[in-house]
Amino acid sequence: QVQLVESGGGLVQAGGSLRLSCAASGSIFSINAMGWYRQAPGKQRELVAAITSGGSTNYADSVKGRFTTSRDNAKNAVYLQMNSLKPEDTAVYYCNSDVLVVDSGAMRALDAWGQGTLVTVSS
């Protein structure tokens, strides 16, 4: 009922920048928190950044000052601007949304995930 589609991943040299985008679509009534997680090879998935519907943000210590998340509520979209990228930022980045969906006339909460987009930072 809800699809999250990410874009913007790729290969970049250390010190470079990338901007990830994620758009949600489907039977959406409202979206509360949206965020970005990442999973590097052999490691657990970790929270990178999150943003509430009101615009409050939260970041992992490892990305503070380098990454910025924002959202466009009208487009059900969330973004992640990544600057000063480091090789240790290499991972698959996943979009996540806390969504209220309309299902058979009723509303229910859904924890939705995108398919992931690969970010590779070369040294």
Short mmCIF file of all heavy atoms in Angstrom, two decimals, residues 1-30:
data_model
loop_
_atom_site.label_atom_id
_atom_site.label_comp_id
_atom_site.label_asym_id
_atom_site.label_seq_id
_atom_site.Cartn_x
_atom_site.Cartn_y
_atom_site.Cartn_z
N GLN A 1 0.81 -1.21 0.00
CA GLN A 1 0.00 0.00 0.00
C GLN A 1 0.84 1.26 0.00
O GLN A 1 0.37 2.33 -0.39
CB GLN A 1 -0.89 0.02 1.24
CG GLN A 1 -1.96 -1.03 1.21
CD GLN A 1 -2.29 -1.47 2.59
OE1 GLN A 1 -1.41 -1.60 3.43
NE2 GLN A 1 -3.56 -1.72 2.85
N VAL A 2 2.07 1.15 0.47
CA VAL A 2 2.97 2.30 0.48
C VAL A 2 4.28 1.89 -0.18
O VAL A 2 4.83 0.83 0.13
CB VAL A 2 3.25 2.80 1.91
CG1 VAL A 2 4.27 3.93 1.88
CG2 VAL A 2 1.96 3.27 2.56
N GLN A 3 4.73 2.72 -1.07
CA GLN A 3 6.02 2.49 -1.72
C GLN A 3 6.94 3.68 -1.42
O GLN A 3 6.53 4.82 -1.51
CB GLN A 3 5.86 2.34 -3.23
CG GLN A 3 5.02 1.17 -3.68
CD GLN A 3 3.52 1.45 -3.57
OE1 GLN A 3 3.07 2.54 -3.87
NE2 GLN A 3 2.77 0.46 -3.11
N LEU A 4 8.17 3.35 -1.08
CA LEU A 4 9.20 4.36 -0.90
C LEU A 4 10.26 4.13 -1.96
O LEU A 4 10.80 3.03 -2.06
CB LEU A 4 9.85 4.27 0.49
CG LEU A 4 8.95 4.46 1.70
CD1 LEU A 4 9.77 4.42 2.97
CD2 LEU A 4 8.18 5.77 1.62
N VAL A 5 10.53 5.14 -2.75
CA VAL A 5 11.49 5.01 -3.84
C VAL A 5 12.63 6.00 -3.59
O VAL A 5 12.41 7.21 -3.53
CB VAL A 5 10.85 5.28 -5.20
CG1 VAL A 5 11.89 5.18 -6.31
CG2 VAL A 5 9.70 4.30 -5.43
N GLU A 6 13.83 5.44 -3.46
CA GLU A 6 15.02 6.27 -3.22
C GLU A 6 15.76 6.50 -4.52
O GLU A 6 15.70 5.69 -5.45
CB GLU A 6 15.96 5.57 -2.24
CG GLU A 6 15.36 5.30 -0.88
CD GLU A 6 15.50 3.86 -0.48
OE1 GLU A 6 15.60 3.00 -1.38
OE2 GLU A 6 15.50 3.56 0.73
N SER A 7 16.51 7.58 -4.55
CA SER A 7 17.38 7.87 -5.68
C SER A 7 18.54 8.73 -5.19
O SER A 7 18.48 9.31 -4.10
CB SER A 7 16.62 8.57 -6.79
OG SER A 7 16.12 9.82 -6.32
N GLY A 8 19.59 8.78 -6.01
CA GLY A 8 20.69 9.68 -5.71
C GLY A 8 21.97 9.03 -5.24
O GLY A 8 22.98 9.71 -5.06
N GLY A 9 21.97 7.72 -5.05
CA GLY A 9 23.19 7.06 -4.64
C GLY A 9 24.20 7.00 -5.78
O GLY A 9 23.89 7.36 -6.92
N GLY A 10 25.41 6.57 -5.46
CA GLY A 10 26.43 6.44 -6.49
C GLY A 10 27.82 6.41 -5.90
O GLY A 10 28.00 6.19 -4.70
N LEU A 11 28.78 6.62 -6.77
CA LEU A 11 30.19 6.59 -6.41
C LEU A 11 30.73 8.01 -6.35
O LEU A 11 30.51 8.80 -7.28
CB LEU A 11 30.98 5.77 -7.43
CG LEU A 11 32.50 5.76 -7.29
CD1 LEU A 11 32.91 5.09 -5.99
CD2 LEU A 11 33.13 5.05 -8.49
N VAL A 12 31.41 8.33 -5.27
CA VAL A 12 31.97 9.68 -5.11
C VAL A 12 33.30 9.57 -4.39
O VAL A 12 33.54 8.62 -3.62
CB VAL A 12 30.98 10.57 -4.32
CG1 VAL A 12 30.79 10.07 -2.89
CG2 VAL A 12 31.41 12.03 -4.34
N GLN A 13 34.18 10.49 -4.65
CA GLN A 13 35.47 10.52 -3.97
C GLN A 13 35.32 11.11 -2.57
O GLN A 13 34.40 11.89 -2.31
CB GLN A 13 36.48 11.33 -4.77
CG GLN A 13 36.95 10.66 -6.04
CD GLN A 13 38.09 11.42 -6.70
OE1 GLN A 13 38.19 12.63 -6.56
NE2 GLN A 13 38.92 10.70 -7.43
N ALA A 14 36.22 10.73 -1.71
CA ALA A 14 36.22 11.29 -0.35
C ALA A 14 36.27 12.81 -0.42
O ALA A 14 37.00 13.39 -1.23
CB ALA A 14 37.41 10.75 0.43
N GLY A 15 35.45 13.44 0.43
CA GLY A 15 35.35 14.89 0.42
C GLY A 15 34.23 15.42 -0.46
O GLY A 15 33.89 16.61 -0.39
N GLY A 16 33.68 14.54 -1.27
CA GLY A 16 32.62 14.95 -2.18
C GLY A 16 31.25 14.96 -1.53
O GLY A 16 31.11 14.74 -0.31
N SER A 17 30.23 15.21 -2.34
CA SER A 17 28.86 15.33 -1.85
C SER A 17 27.90 14.49 -2.70
O SER A 17 28.15 14.27 -3.88
CB SER A 17 28.40 16.79 -1.89
OG SER A 17 29.20 17.61 -1.07
N LEU A 18 26.83 14.07 -2.06
CA LEU A 18 25.73 13.41 -2.74
C LEU A 18 24.44 13.85 -2.06
O LEU A 18 24.44 14.19 -0.87
CB LEU A 18 25.83 11.88 -2.65
CG LEU A 18 26.81 11.16 -3.56
CD1 LEU A 18 26.84 9.67 -3.20
CD2 LEU A 18 26.46 11.34 -5.01
N ARG A 19 23.36 13.80 -2.82
CA ARG A 19 22.04 14.11 -2.26
C ARG A 19 21.10 12.96 -2.56
O ARG A 19 20.87 12.62 -3.71
CB ARG A 19 21.48 15.40 -2.85
CG ARG A 19 20.17 15.86 -2.22
CD ARG A 19 19.76 17.20 -2.76
NE ARG A 19 18.62 17.78 -2.07
CZ ARG A 19 17.41 17.88 -2.61
NH1 ARG A 19 17.18 17.43 -3.82
NH2 ARG A 19 16.44 18.44 -1.92
N LEU A 20 20.59 12.36 -1.50
CA LEU A 20 19.63 11.27 -1.64
C LEU A 20 18.22 11.83 -1.54
O LEU A 20 17.96 12.76 -0.77
CB LEU A 20 19.84 10.22 -0.56
CG LEU A 20 21.23 9.61 -0.45
CD1 LEU A 20 21.23 8.51 0.62
CD2 LEU A 20 21.69 9.05 -1.78
N SER A 21 17.33 11.22 -2.31
CA SER A 21 15.91 11.59 -2.28
C SER A 21 15.08 10.35 -2.06
O SER A 21 15.46 9.25 -2.47
CB SER A 21 15.50 12.25 -3.59
OG SER A 21 16.24 13.42 -3.85
N CYS A 22 13.94 10.54 -1.42
CA CYS A 22 13.02 9.42 -1.19
C CYS A 22 11.60 9.97 -1.27
O CYS A 22 11.27 10.94 -0.57
CB CYS A 22 13.27 8.78 0.16
SG CYS A 22 12.04 7.56 0.66
N ALA A 23 10.78 9.34 -2.10
CA ALA A 23 9.40 9.77 -2.24
C ALA A 23 8.47 8.62 -1.87
O ALA A 23 8.67 7.49 -2.33
CB ALA A 23 9.13 10.23 -3.66
N ALA A 24 7.47 8.94 -1.06
CA ALA A 24 6.49 7.94 -0.65
C ALA A 24 5.22 8.09 -1.48
O ALA A 24 4.80 9.22 -1.77
CB ALA A 24 6.18 8.10 0.82
N SER A 25 4.63 6.97 -1.83
CA SER A 25 3.38 7.00 -2.58
C SER A 25 2.49 5.85 -2.13
O SER A 25 2.96 4.88 -1.53
CB SER A 25 3.64 6.90 -4.08
OG SER A 25 4.26 5.68 -4.40
N GLY A 26 1.19 5.96 -2.43
CA GLY A 26 0.25 4.94 -2.04
C GLY A 26 -0.92 5.53 -1.29
O GLY A 26 -1.21 6.71 -1.39
N SER A 27 -1.59 4.69 -0.52
CA SER A 27 -2.80 5.11 0.21
C SER A 27 -2.41 5.78 1.53
O SER A 27 -2.73 5.30 2.62
CB SER A 27 -3.68 3.89 0.48
OG SER A 27 -4.02 3.24 -0.73
N ILE A 28 -1.75 6.91 1.41
CA ILE A 28 -1.19 7.60 2.56
C ILE A 28 -2.18 8.60 3.13
O ILE A 28 -2.69 9.44 2.40
CB ILE A 28 0.12 8.32 2.19
CG1 ILE A 28 1.16 7.29 1.72
CG2 ILE A 28 0.66 9.12 3.36
CD1 ILE A 28 2.40 7.91 1.11
N PHE A 29 -2.42 8.48 4.43
CA PHE A 29 -3.23 9.50 5.11
C PHE A 29 -2.33 10.59 5.66
O PHE A 29 -2.58 11.78 5.47
CB PHE A 29 -4.06 8.87 6.23
CG PHE A 29 -4.89 9.87 6.98
CD1 PHE A 29 -6.08 10.33 6.44
CD2 PHE A 29 -4.49 10.36 8.22
CE1 PHE A 29 -6.86 11.27 7.12
CE2 PHE A 29 -5.26 11.29 8.91
CZ PHE A 29 -6.45 11.74 8.34
N SER A 30 -1.26 10.19 6.33
CA SER A 30 -0.29 11.15 6.84
C SER A 30 1.03 10.42 7.12
O SER A 30 1.07 9.19 7.21
CB SER A 30 -0.78 11.81 8.12
OG SER A 30 -0.90 10.88 9.17
#
